[in-house]
Amino acid sequence: MSHVYIAMSGGVDSSVSALLLQQAGYQISGVNLRLFHNEDLGESREKTCCSLSDAEDARMVARRLGFPFYVFDFSQIFRDTVIQEFVESYQRGQTPNPCVACNRSVKFGALLHRVLALHGDFLATGHYAQIVRSTTTGRYLLKRGADRSKDQSYFLYMLTQEQLAHTLFPLGGLHKSQVREIAAEHGLINASKRDSQDICFAPDGDYATFIERATGHPSPTGPFLDETGHILGQHKGFVRYTRGQHKGLGLPTEQPLYVLEKDAETNAIRLGPDSALWEDTLIAEHMNWISIPTLSAPMSVTVKTRYSQREAAAVIEPMERGRVRAIFDEPQRAITAGQAVVFYDGEIVVGGGTIC
């Protein structure tokens, strides 16, 4: 009997994943990850998706289903990798994706390493994605989840062949409505619990305040510049703005202005019209390939440059130092450094990287 450790956040997805694995005959152990200490989050700690009440919900589900439950303290690695990368990326003028960093360093990094060290066979999570194995190449493939509205394959592009071989996504073939129905039928306490929408360590989306608390000082101010370098006014803090942003600029201008560029050396933010945000090319680095060993020739794919974005057709081609250039069939709006870019071949994730 294979032993599966299921990462349990206290939400309905991971709880139903545990139930389905148990019904399939696996030996189950539940694991909740402690990612924060009180001093990390201040007064907002109970608003996060990893609060003490969430951990207790996970424990109660494990007790009801009758399998062991453990709490692993990964707060140090979370602070050193996810939070530190998040803060430093914003300070460089980029817009990072902390969920990707957490999956890479914590869930499928430190946690999977711990699971294998404990002689577990698989790590399971409640992600909406699917893993299959190619009958022609033998490679493990990452597919979109059946529920397109919940598909999380974008956040999982960094998974290696070794990680995919030891990972299970029990919800990959289900829709969210089905998951809630299963939870209700089996009396799970979180059947109607709302999904977390915010960055887990920055509830209500107030990432700027979190960064200022983490660094111990306010984000530096600087000038708003137009496209010619003329000063339009002063902004309220360098990290408070991201490419493509229009709201909250506070400038009395006749024409709408948007954030075009950020200069971390001078703390200047360049503004301009929406038309200046559209581009037909991006370059990405820190690539990870899933369906292919590496990109050795141009390839037609569809591309997502943000999780909420519908993918667009493009041709990707290899560059020096492992970088990749994507040339879109049609210009894309507000391509942003620091964000993940993920390439698809139909339902299959080809690979992905970080926009640079």
Side-chain angles (χ1 to χ4, degrees), residues 206-228:
D206 190 4
Y207 66 89
T209 297
F210 175 84
I211 292 172
E212 291 178 345
R213 184 170 62 244
T215 59
H217 56 76
S219 178
T221 60
F224 278 131
L225 306 176
D226 66 14
E227 291 182 280
T228 66

Side-chain angles (χ1 to χ4, degrees), residues 112-169:
L112 180 55
H113 180 78
R114 177 76 62 84
V115 166
L116 296 178
L118 292 171
H119 305 293
D121 298 291
F122 297 100
L123 167 66
T125 71
H127 284 99
Y128 287 82
Q130 304 180 71
I131 299 172
V132 297
R133 195 166 190 181
S134 171
T135 57
T136 56
T137 67
R139 295 182 67 83
Y140 287 93
L141 304 177
L142 178 66
K143 293 181 59 177
R144 306 177 198 267
D147 189 340
R148 281 293 192 95
S149 68
K150 292 294 181 180
D151 169 47
Q152 294 172 299
S153 59
Y154 174 86
F155 298 111
L156 300 165
Y157 78 84
M158 82 301 300
L159 291 176
T160 66
Q161 290 294 298
E162 177 70 13
Q163 291 166 337
L164 289 166
H166 293 282
T167 299
L168 299 175
F169 295 137

Side-chain angles (χ1 to χ4, degrees), residues 66-121:
F67 57 76
F69 179 81
Y70 307 97
V71 176
F72 293 166
D73 188 341
F74 284 169
S75 57
Q76 187 65 50
I77 188 170
F78 188 81
R79 186 184 304 115
D80 291 346
T81 57
V82 180
I83 291 180
Q84 190 68 21
E85 178 181 325
F86 181 83
V87 171
E88 292 178 354
S89 184
Y90 262 106
Q91 290 177 321
R92 291 193 300 268
Q94 299 178 332
T95 303
N97 193 311
C99 294
V100 170
C102 183
N103 284 335
R104 178 189 297 114
S105 301
V106 182
K107 292 176 183 174
F108 301 98
L111 177 56
L112 180 55
H113 180 78
R114 177 76 62 84
V115 166
L116 296 178
L118 292 171
H119 305 293
D121 298 291

